[in-house]
Amino acid sequence: MNRCQRSVCSFRRGFGLRMAQCTDRVIGKILAGWRYDISGLAPEMRGDYEAHLAECEFCHKRQLLHRGIDIGLMALASASMIVFLLAYGVIRHFHPSHAFLLEIGALGGFLLSMLLWLLVAVATPAPLVVKDVAMFGARVGLEKLPDEIRDRIPEDLRLKISGQE
Ligand SMILES: [Zn+2]
């Protein structure tokens, strides 16, 4: 592929106008292979990729999209788990005819949703993103706690939350 990389090039202007192109196809391809997740890389190896994600609008948007999909999938699986649990509760409560079959169906749906949730959790970095957000929330909450309560939290846990391990 020898497409012109210059943004002013008229060759791809027609279809390049709306969608930005990757500024470095080699790095872009590697990133795409990782689904734009570099959280598993050692910090000293991330530099180039982080720099590229910062300067390349195309890859940055893709990264946001993929993380959005991951979190969306987990949210969907969680919602579906709740729905199946609710359905199970409703069946137990009202005892409709064929209650047993319906219960099995609801439990099966619940287990399937849980499996999906686990698959997404294992296969994607979404939990890392969620963990980062949770850690940030915990840090903010910790700062707002009154001193006497904060002193009761074990010190190693406090250091972990504030990121000073
Ligand atoms: Zn790129």
Side-chain angles (χ1 to χ4, degrees):
M1 280 253 255
N2 268 325
R3 215 178 272 156
C4 182
Q5 297 293 327
R6 287 175 60 197
S7 56
V8 288
C9 177
S10 56
F11 176 66
R12 58 174 185 81
R13 222 179 185 171
F15 52 92
L17 263 183
R18 265 185 62 83
M19 188 113 176
Q21 294 272 319
C22 182
T23 53
D24 186 331
R25 292 207 151 245
V26 178
I27 294 190
K29 251 191 179 156
I30 298 174
L31 281 172
W34 292 337
R35 296 185 72 248
Y36 301 90
D37 168 39
I38 53 170
S39 55
L41 287 181
E44 61 267 23
M45 286 182 61
R46 279 188 218 167
D48 288 348
Y49 302 109
E50 264 168 2
H52 180 75
L53 284 171
E55 67 167 35
C56 175
E57 198 193 345
F58 178 80
C59 290
H60 182 65
K61 276 191 180 152
R62 282 296 171 95
Q63 188 188 32
L64 289 180
L65 176 75
H66 279 280
R67 293 302 79 79
I69 292 173
D70 296 344
I71 292 177
L73 271 177
M74 289 189 84
L76 202 72
S78 310
S80 134
M81 263 156 71
I82 293 171
V83 168
F84 279 116
L85 261 193
L86 275 178
Y88 182 75
V90 167
I91 294 162
R92 293 227 77 150
H93 187 76
F94 291 106
H95 288 296
S97 49
H98 308 298
F100 180 69
L101 280 180
L102 290 172
E103 269 175 26
I104 298 278
L107 278 183
F110 174 76
L111 287 177
L112 266 181
S113 319
M114 200 162 77
L115 199 68
L116 176 69
W117 193 94
L118 278 175
L119 277 179
V120 178
V122 170
T124 74
L128 284 174
V129 179
V130 174
K131 191 186 144 217
D132 280 353
V133 173
M135 285 293 261
F136 179 75
R139 211 171 295 158
V140 172
L142 193 70
E143 278 162 19
K144 290 202 171 128
L145 278 180
D147 282 343
E148 59 264 35
I149 299 179
R150 200 177 347 180
D151 288 342
R152 290 198 191 168
I153 301 174
E155 190 168 8
D156 53 332
L157 183 67
R158 240 184 304 156
L159 289 178
K160 217 173 220 167
I161 293 175
S162 52
Q164 305 162 359
E165 283 171 275

